[in-house]
Amino acid sequence: KLVCYDEMGVGDNWFRLTATNSAGSVFEDKLIRAEPPPETTMSAPFDAGKSGGICSDGRVLPFVSPGDDGSNNVYEAFMTFDIRGLPANATIVSAYLNLGTCNPTGDGLGQLHVLNLQYGDLDVGDYGAGGAYITSVDPCTVFSIDVTDQVEAMKADVEFQVRLHFDGSDFDGGVDDVTYDSPTLDITYIIQ
């Protein structure tokens, strides 16, 4: 029987070799220890050209800053990461989104909702467009968001995109937002 190394389970694999002839049978047990495939970690490049914000009044803005303004207009934010560097046969071990440096203004708007929304190029139609819920976080205290399942599902795409929003304005006539700089998406994978 032919058994290829990559068909074995990780860890100890025992095989019994038996030789039989007219004089009888003998056997010997052999151990082959299969090592797990090596892990590779990549930082997916942030695509500022496909990231930014959209205001409830229809403006598309170049900065990632969910919140509201002094006129109680609501802003949603969008982030794009280039994941073309992932091999087609990669199995995702882990993927973590770090929203980046948080610069808050005002008294806050509560929990920030993070959704996976593959929106392509950013335009006005993306405002309120939904998306698959990932989590809700305190906007300036969470440093890493587990997006392993979402990246595994999107790995055949060229981009991984998220939508960030609060529940709406607090209608206090003041600016309440957070601006994010230098977000990262770190993906660890194996090739099997």
Side-chain angles (χ1 to χ4, degrees):
K1 179 180 179 183
L2 177 65
V3 178
C4 296
Y5 182 82
D6 61 358
E7 295 173 337
M8 290 185 225
V10 172
D12 293 349
N13 293 271
W14 286 96
F15 296 90
R16 176 165 283 184
L17 303 174
T18 305
T20 304
N21 63 19
S22 60
S25 293
V26 294
F27 69 88
E28 187 171 335
D29 291 330
K30 293 291 182 184
L31 168 66
I32 299 177
R33 184 168 290 125
E35 300 296 328
E39 293 183 355
T40 302
T41 299
M42 68 172 271
S43 292
F46 175 67
D47 186 344
K50 288 190 174 184
S51 302
I54 300 176
C55 181
S56 58
D57 67 6
R59 290 177 288 145
V60 177
L61 306 164
F63 46 84
V64 178
S65 188
D68 70 2
D69 63 16
S71 299
N72 300 315
N73 292 308
V74 177
Y75 295 83
E76 294 183 348
F78 299 81
M79 293 180 176
T80 296
F81 296 89
D82 183 341
I83 59 171
R84 284 179 288 191
L86 277 174
N89 58 343
T91 297
I92 307 303
V93 174
S94 66
Y96 289 95
L97 170 65
N98 183 320
L99 297 176
T101 305
C102 178
N103 301 298
T105 303
D107 55 10
L109 293 170
Q111 293 284 293
L112 179 67
H113 307 298
V114 182
L115 300 101
N116 179 214
L117 175 66
Q118 296 300 110
Y119 55 85
D121 291 327
L122 189 59
D123 61 45
V124 173
D126 298 320
Y127 183 88
Y133 178 79
I134 298 172
T135 191
S136 295
V137 298
D138 185 9
C140 291
T141 61
V142 172
F143 300 104
S144 194
I145 299 169
D146 187 345
V147 292
T148 305
D149 293 341
Q150 292 80 12
V151 171
E152 177 67 36
M154 296 288 137
K155 69 182 179 185
D157 293 347
V158 297
E159 299 164 334
F160 179 74
Q161 298 178 307
V162 294
R163 172 179 166 242
L164 310 170
H165 73 93
F166 293 100
D167 285 331
S169 176
D170 61 1
F171 299 101
D172 67 356
V175 175
D176 302 295
D177 67 15
V178 291
T179 301
Y180 291 107
D181 297 313
S182 306
T184 60
L185 176 62
D186 295 316
I187 304 169
T188 300
Y189 63 90
I190 59 174
I191 303 297
Q192 293 185 326

